[in-house]
Amino acid sequence: GDGAAAGSYGYTNSGYSVYEEENDRLTESLRTKVSAIKSLSIEIGTEVKNQNKMLSEMENDFDSTSGLLGATMGRLRTLSRGSQTKLLCYMMLFSLFVFFVIYWIIKLR
């Protein structure tokens, strides 16, 4: 009777061993996937920080450009009160030129 019990016990142990090996394999696979997701989320966080920094710099650039254009428009209003229409046209053309140069510089950035 001991031989049958021992054989049955060996069979049971081998069954558990198969399940244990499968669990170990699946655990390692899950560990690899979790590690990949962790590194990806760290990279996403770094990219978000860089994008926020760039947006902040762009906001500052637009604020300074807005101030420059506001001052130019104030000067144009001052000129328009006089009768110097030719000078006003030159100033408007110059303002458009400056606007397009600034736009071009921002687009290249």
Side-chain angles (χ1 to χ4, degrees):
D2 288 337
S8 156
Y9 180 72
Y11 177 74
T12 305
N13 279 344
S14 73
Y16 284 130
S17 177
V18 169
Y19 289 127
E20 219 174 291
E21 288 173 9
E22 180 70 14
N23 280 342
D24 289 343
R25 187 181 63 77
L26 291 173
T27 302
E28 187 58 37
S29 172
L30 184 60
R31 184 175 294 126
T32 303
K33 290 176 183 176
V34 167
S35 175
I37 290 172
K38 179 183 175 185
S39 68
L40 183 63
S41 65
I42 289 171
E43 288 177 18
I44 288 172
T46 303
E47 184 64 26
V48 166
K49 286 178 187 174
N50 290 338
Q51 293 293 327
N52 283 338
K53 181 180 175 187
M54 189 183 338
L55 283 174
S56 176
E57 290 172 358
M58 279 181 56
E59 182 181 7
N60 292 339
D61 290 344
F62 280 127
D63 285 343
S64 65
T65 303
S66 167
L68 177 67
L69 287 177
T72 303
M73 291 307 291
R75 289 185 194 115
L76 283 175
R77 273 189 231 109
T78 302
L79 285 174
S80 68
R81 290 184 187 127
S83 62
Q84 304 167 344
T85 55
K86 188 175 184 180
L87 186 57
L88 177 65
C89 286
Y90 286 138
M91 286 300 290
M92 288 184 74
L93 288 173
F94 178 74
S95 297
L96 285 173
F97 173 76
V98 168
F99 175 79
F100 283 116
V101 167
I102 291 172
Y103 177 77
W104 181 70
I105 288 172
I106 291 173
K107 280 299 240 187
L108 287 179
R109 208 167 187 210

